Amino acid sequence: MVAIAVDLVNALTPGEARGRPYEPPQGAELTEAVAQALGDRWARRVTAREAGELAQVAVALRGVFEASGRGDVDAAAHLVNGLLAETDARPHLDRHDGEPWHLHYHGTGGTLAGDYAASCATGLAVVLGGELHDRLGVCTAPHCDRVYVDTSRNGTRRFCSTACQNRVKTAAFRARNA
């Protein structure tokens, strides 16, 4: 769910991406971006209304990554607690689509956006409440504010993508050799 939170934030919030201004998609492109962030099984099921609701969820989730990226775990935790309360996230076991029983954290409303907001908030709460609380961040490359979760072994990731990492390394190389 943390990876889905990353995908939603990066696809649905404005800012900068890889050195260029980024505006989130609108209309049918927004619906497609949401379906892609949620995975293949939602490819034909996301409505325009649900996509708009998830775009609002993504804005709230972005705040968690920004606070964590600043090293302000307290602020990130308060934001997550607000999302958990707002969505009334409740754990329960579910079995669907031929899968075995697995844990879900859906809210009481039963909407796609509400369910994913509750699940993403719970995933972020697990990260923030554990020893890997410093693994959420915002890309440190110039002109990029996309978010990431650091799954590396040593916990030293600073970029949203290899493209941003290469951009920074290339600029540093050129500066040294100028």
Side-chain angles (χ1 to χ4, degrees), residues 93-102 104:
L93 291 169
D94 199 357
R95 181 170 58 184
H96 53 83
D97 301 327
E99 295 180 14
W101 288 101
H102 56 280
H104 278 267

Side-chain angles (χ1 to χ4, degrees), residues 44-56:
R44 293 186 183 94
R45 298 187 207 171
V46 177
T47 67
R49 180 176 180 211
E50 291 167 334
E53 291 170 352
L54 279 165
Q56 292 174 349

Side-chain angles (χ1 to χ4, degrees), residues 131-155:
E131 61 186 41
L132 302 177
H133 64 273
D134 57 349
R135 297 293 185 107
L136 305 175
V138 178
C139 187
T140 60
H143 305 292
C144 188
D145 63 1
R146 302 297 87 186
V147 302
Y148 63 88
V149 58
D150 184 355
T151 58
S152 68
R153 188 174 288 185
N154 61 3

Side-chain angles (χ1 to χ4, degrees), residues 80-92 104-109 114-123 125:
V80 167
N81 281 339
L83 285 167
L84 291 169
E86 181 182 323
T87 61
D88 196 23
R90 296 186 198 173
H92 70 276
H104 278 267
Y105 289 90
H106 292 191
T108 57
D115 290 349
Y116 270 95
S119 295
C120 288
T122 301

